[in-house]
Amino acid sequence: MSKVSKWWTFTKERFDPPTHSVMLVLFLFAHILVINATTSIFATSKDDLFLLIGITAFYFKLRLYDEVKDYELDVVINPHRPLPRGLLTHQDMYSGMFVCIIVELLCFSIQGLNSIVSVIIPICYSLLMYKEFFIKEKIRPYLTTYALSHTIVTTLLSFAIFSFLSQKSFLQVVTDKTLFSFALANWMLFNLFEFGRKTFATEEEREGVDTYSSLFGRTGAVALVFSQALIAHYLCFNLVGANTGFMISGFAAILLILGALSLWYIVKNNQTSAKYFRLFSSIYIILFYLILIFAHIIP
């Protein structure tokens, strides 16, 4: 296989293009609508495209980080993954990380100093994540703490996106109640995704692999997921310019579905119920952004 083919295989396996494209487009569009509700400054289509490329590079880079960070464990429990099976090398991962960071800086730089300074903050934080805050042995055993300390990078990226779109400084964005609330809501959504995807039926658990269901039980894992959804919904009621009635109805609908699937999973504790719980936890973030987007479009 050529190097290009190998990278494409890696991307299909570890950063599914259709799924991530939909999620990132909605993620960006939601930011655009939220910022437009608080400011009269609108980004041009060209600017939006550069921003989308920069965001995609950022999240793709995080996948490269994970591939390297988890290598030793994956060799044992996930030998089929690209790096353990030798599809790409560690040097390929390092080169990919470098290219992604350059792309991020270039894309955000087109909106000037405030924008590029703002994106440097999540980039630097992501590098600390890559090094596991230099306390790998201490933080790895605490699955929830580990996840929360990593997913918060999405909040920092949200601030950078708002800085790009509004040309405001990082500090100005952070001190805006609406923008701050939405950035925190994004953290909750990515926590929900993370907690949900590592929740399994008893028959699916693997020895030596910590999951939220193995650590907290099925009910505890569901409580973690539900708590993040509720906090995210609550934070969005601080947004200005949204159709509150539509937002309440939409959020209530997806919460009811999540509740029904959670109950099924807790009671049945089989592979099918766990699979659908994980699936809905994964698409929850997409449904959330769709509801938020329509709440800003519908009068």
Side-chain angles (χ1 to χ4, degrees):
M1 295 174 66
S2 68
K3 188 66 73 174
V4 171
S5 297
K6 289 180 178 180
W7 272 109
W8 178 238
T9 299
F10 173 89
T11 302
K12 288 189 293 183
E13 292 183 16
R14 303 295 285 146
F15 197 78
D16 181 56
T19 303
H20 283 84
S21 295
V22 170
M23 192 277 286
L24 292 176
V25 167
L26 294 177
F27 178 71
L28 173 56
F29 194 30
H31 280 79
I32 292 172
L33 292 176
V34 168
I35 194 71
N36 284 347
T38 62
T39 179
S40 60
I41 299 174
F42 288 78
T44 66
S45 297
K46 181 184 70 174
D47 292 339
D48 294 347
L49 179 59
F50 277 113
L51 184 52
L52 180 60
I53 293 171
I55 294 169
T56 302
F58 186 89
Y59 280 108
F60 187 78
K61 176 194 65 187
L62 297 186
R63 176 54 64 199
L64 301 181
Y65 287 172
D66 288 342
E67 199 74 8
V68 174
K69 286 191 303 175
D70 297 337
Y71 175 74
E72 293 179 1
L73 182 62
D74 283 343
V75 167
V76 178
I77 66 172
N78 295 308
H80 60 282
R81 287 185 175 172
L83 193 57
R85 76 171 191 262
L87 177 70
L88 291 169
T89 67
H90 279 76
Q91 186 56 53
D92 291 328
M93 297 294 106
Y94 303 144
S95 298
M97 295 172 195
F98 178 77
V99 170
C100 285
I101 290 174
I102 295 300
V103 170
E104 293 160 37
L105 292 171
L106 288 175
C107 287
F108 276 80
S109 69
I110 68 170
Q111 285 290 12
L113 183 61
N114 281 336
S115 177
I116 196 167
V117 168
S118 293
V119 81
I120 286 173
I121 294 172
I123 287 174
C124 289
Y125 188 86
S126 75
L127 289 169
L128 285 175
M129 288 165 46
Y130 171 60
K131 300 303 294 183
E132 297 179 298
F133 306 102
F134 301 99
I135 51 171
K136 176 180 178 179
E137 293 76 14
K138 294 183 178 180
I139 197 172
R140 276 253 172 180
Y142 300 97
L143 188 62
T144 308
T145 302
Y146 190 91
L148 293 173
S149 66
H150 282 61
T151 50
I152 197 172
V153 75
T154 290
T155 294
L156 299 178
L157 181 62
S158 286
F159 293 144
I161 293 170
F162 285 138
S163 178
F164 180 103
L165 292 169
S166 66
Q167 299 177 27
K168 293 180 179 179
S169 70
F170 189 88
L171 183 60
Q172 287 176 306
V173 169
V174 170
T175 53
D176 185 296
K177 182 180 179 181
T178 292
L179 306 185
F180 185 79
S181 293
F182 184 65
L184 283 185
N186 288 323
W187 183 24
M188 299 303 113
L189 290 172
F190 279 78
N191 289 338
L192 187 157
F193 170 78
E194 176 66 17
F195 296 156
R197 76 184 184 94
K198 292 183 179 178
T199 297
F200 299 92
T202 302
E203 64 188 273
E204 297 177 295
E205 302 283 7
R206 293 186 289 175
E207 187 177 353
V209 181
D210 284 340
T211 64
Y212 295 100
S213 45
S214 69
L215 292 173
F216 305 112
R218 298 189 302 282
T219 303
V222 164
L224 277 175
V225 170
F226 232 87
S227 67
Q228 302 309 294
L230 291 174
I231 297 171
H233 294 317
Y234 172 77
L235 287 168
C236 281
F237 291 118
N238 286 321
L239 304 183
V240 299
N243 184 323
T244 305
F246 181 86
M247 197 160 55
I248 290 174
S249 299
F251 287 164
I254 58 176
L255 273 175
L256 284 172
I257 297 172
L258 180 62
L261 291 173
S262 298
L263 186 60
W264 182 31
Y265 158 66
I266 291 172
V267 173
K268 289 295 184 180
N269 186 27
N270 57 29
Q271 188 171 353
T272 301
S273 61
K275 174 185 175 182
Y276 280 102
F277 175 77
R278 289 194 298 273
L279 176 63
F280 194 72
S281 297
S282 296
I283 66 173
Y284 198 94
I285 188 170
I286 292 176
L287 296 175
F288 185 100
Y289 288 134
L290 280 172
I291 292 166
L292 192 65
I293 287 167
F294 280 108
H296 278 82
I297 293 175
I298 297 174

